[in-house]
Amino acid sequence: MKKILVVNAGSSSLKYQLFDMENETVMAKGLCERIGIGGRVIHHAGNHPAHEADRPMAHHGEAIRVLTELLTSPQFGCIADMSEIAAVGHRIVHGGDLFNKSVRIDPGVIAAIESCVPLAPLHNPGHLVGIRACIAELGEAIPQVAVFDTAFHQTMPEHAYIYALPYEYYEKHKVRRYGFHGTSHGYVSARAAQILGKPLTELKIITCHMGNGSSLCAVDGGKSVDTSMGFTPLDGVPMGTRSGALDPAILTYIAEHEGLTFAQISEMLNKKSGVLGISGISSDFRDLHAADANGDARAKLALRHFAHCVKKYIGAFAAVMGGCDALVFTAGIGENNRLMRLWVCEGLEYMGLVIDPQKNDTSAEAVVSAPGSRGSILVVPTNEELVIARDTLALTR
Ligand code: ADP
């Protein structure tokens, strides 16, 4: 029995994928959304037609009941009974400095995830309701595992994760760099080593996870030694709607001159900035390329600024590791946006990274560096759910 349910619970949504780990295939996947404010489910399984319906879901427990019904339904399902599920793996955004790997969930782990709520107030509370709903609805007999976005980065040395603030903020409030997207950075760096046929322990890899949220990671010998996201997922390169790193003095200046509160500043940095903020058009890179093609100067500026910032981190991380054997692109933009890959790689020839424009014409897993390029450039589609399923299986076997 090797069926693993992967759950990513947010405050009003619950994404799920059911894996058959005999062959690592997805049997079913779906999304329950508008939990608590109505309820809607979108569900796909095998060859059944996709099913989409309004279903009242007052809380996450009811979402678990809806997905149980769909997974076991003759019309839309793929299993006879939920007892076929060996374990449930949960994606958890923030494990603070408490978790450096995935763990079986027990009351102590739940309390520890709870203690990280102040570090991720938008994410961890949703994960906790998801965990509790699974335990309540599926029973204690089905083990649950927590897989943390932060865990992979716990190998960062102290000098990389400390901020140059009064040290007591680190001691009292745990203000330090944590990093996110760890499951993705870990997966694509390991996969890149496999594709290149070289031991991961001997490679210096820079992974560029570029989606709605984007982060880069310096992976030295398989370990994260630095990453662009920080105390929160706001740091680093600009994103769809998030600012990325900026001069911190801008915040007090804007607050003073625009009369903004802390909450408004936070909303501005998270929801109104990034490429949306610069372009005034969209957070979606496809819209920006379309606008750029129509001559919109601010769309072009937003795209060029993004490429510039990604390139700056590549240079910084190569300096941190003393070189870069492989540059890996992943996530929505990293996998699909060929032009952005070309722009990011423009001018990296000096460090031995030369992209091949023909090979780059792909969205699939591929080595896209030119013949003769000292370092390799790769596109590796990420699969965070599969990593969660693998860890869950390994911890509950
Ligand atoms: P999330 O962080 O929400 O998982 P994704 O990884 O799906 O986000 O990335 C979303 C971004 O990927 C969007 O900016 C979108 O424009 C870009 N993207 C997705 N598919 C394509 C595509 N086929 N071509 C260009 N860009 C794409």
Side-chain angles (χ1 to χ4, degrees):
M1 192 174 67
K2 281 194 174 175
K3 297 193 178 92
I4 302 285
L5 180 66
V6 172
V7 168
N8 182 354
S11 55
S12 67
S13 70
L14 190 148
K15 281 191 213 150
Y16 58 92
Q17 284 196 20
L18 181 64
F19 280 88
D20 181 350
M21 295 305 283
E22 292 289 353
N23 46 14
E24 297 196 332
T25 51
V26 177
M27 301 175 72
K29 63 175 166 182
L31 164 69
C32 299
E33 55 185 359
R34 300 178 57 78
I35 301 171
I37 49 166
R40 182 153 188 84
V41 65
I42 304 161
H43 172 89
H44 306 253
N47 298 324
H48 298 299
H51 171 68
E52 206 171 327
D54 286 329
R55 293 288 303 266
M57 296 177 225
H59 50 77
H60 286 66
E62 288 183 0
I64 301 290
R65 270 175 239 161
V66 168
L67 81 84
T68 299
E69 181 201 307
L70 289 170
L71 288 173
T72 55
S73 115
Q75 199 182 352
F76 305 111
C78 53
I79 52 174
D81 193 275
M82 290 302 265
S83 62
E84 288 180 40
I85 293 174
V88 182
H90 294 265
R91 180 208 178 201
I92 310 291
V93 164
H94 220 311
D97 56 5
L98 303 174
F99 298 100
N100 59 9
K101 55 182 186 308
S102 304
V103 288
R104 276 280 283 262
I105 294 176
D106 61 21
V109 168
I110 292 179
I113 296 171
E114 191 120 48
S115 76
C116 296
V117 164
L119 300 174
L122 302 180
H123 293 100
N124 277 24
H127 302 328
L128 285 162
V129 255
I131 292 171
R132 291 189 172 116
C134 283
I135 295 172
E137 296 299 322
L138 306 178
E140 304 266 350
I142 299 186
Q144 320 261 333
V145 166
V147 180
F148 301 90
D149 276 21
T150 46
F152 181 66
H153 301 297
Q154 280 296 302
T155 46
M156 275 189 291
E158 197 176 10
H159 60 256
Y161 70 65
I162 198 72
Y163 285 113
L165 290 168
Y167 195 73
E168 63 259 31
Y169 297 146
Y170 168 57
E171 293 175 310
K172 260 168 64 185
H173 303 296
K174 293 189 163 191
V175 173
R176 51 157 282 184
R177 180 180 307 281
Y178 291 100
F180 300 87
H181 293 140
T183 315
S184 178
H185 291 297
Y187 172 77
V188 300
S189 53
R191 183 78 199 120
Q194 273 178 354
I195 296 167
L196 297 173
K198 292 185 180 153
L200 181 60
T201 47
E202 289 172 18
L203 289 172
K204 298 177 191 303
I205 303 178
I206 298 174
T207 47
C208 309
H209 178 112
M210 312 194 303
N212 269 321
S214 297
S215 70
L216 280 82
C217 183
V219 187
D220 196 348
K223 295 198 165 113
S224 168
V225 294
D226 204 349
T227 189
S228 61
M229 281 180 168
F231 178 60
T232 72
L234 186 56
D235 197 2
V237 295
M239 307 175 213
T241 62
R242 287 176 245 167
S243 64
L246 37 80
D247 178 346
I250 294 169
L251 304 184
T252 43
Y253 185 86
I254 293 287
E256 206 174 307
H257 287 78
E258 291 276 324
L260 300 184
T261 62
F262 288 139
Q264 288 169 321
I265 291 273
S266 173
E267 158 103 1
M268 179 270 286
L269 293 172
N270 281 291
K271 303 269 167 65
K272 299 180 183 168
S273 299
V275 292
L276 169 68
I278 298 176
S279 68
I281 292 177
S282 173
S283 62
D284 191 301
F285 279 55
R286 285 167 289 199
D287 299 337
L288 297 177
H289 283 290
D292 177 23
N294 283 328
D296 188 283
R298 274 169 55 189
K300 182 190 279 306
L301 179 63
L303 292 165
R304 284 291 181 180
H305 178 63
F306 177 82
H308 173 81
C309 293
V310 171
K311 196 191 305 241
K312 272 210 309 204
Y313 273 98
I314 292 171
F317 287 170
V320 161
M321 292 191 289
C324 172
D325 303 309
L327 179 64
V328 183
F329 289 101
T330 194
I333 298 163
E335 291 165 31
N336 298 299
N337 192 328
R338 300 155 197 198
L339 186 56
M340 188 52 71
R341 289 198 300 256
L342 286 179
W343 286 356
V344 167
C345 291
E346 225 168 50
L348 296 186
E349 295 80 7
Y350 79 95
M351 50 188 277
L353 292 170
V354 186
I355 195 161
D356 183 317
Q358 271 79 45
K359 290 187 190 162
N360 184 50
D361 198 12
T362 181
S363 289
E365 186 175 278
V367 176
V368 299
S369 34
S373 174
R374 191 150 38 82
S376 305
I377 306 173
L378 299 96
V379 176
V380 180
T382 194
N383 198 340
E384 289 155 291
E385 293 78 14
L386 177 61
V387 178
I388 296 173
R390 282 179 182 166
D391 280 12
T392 302
L393 181 68
L395 283 166
T396 54
R397 216 195 276 267

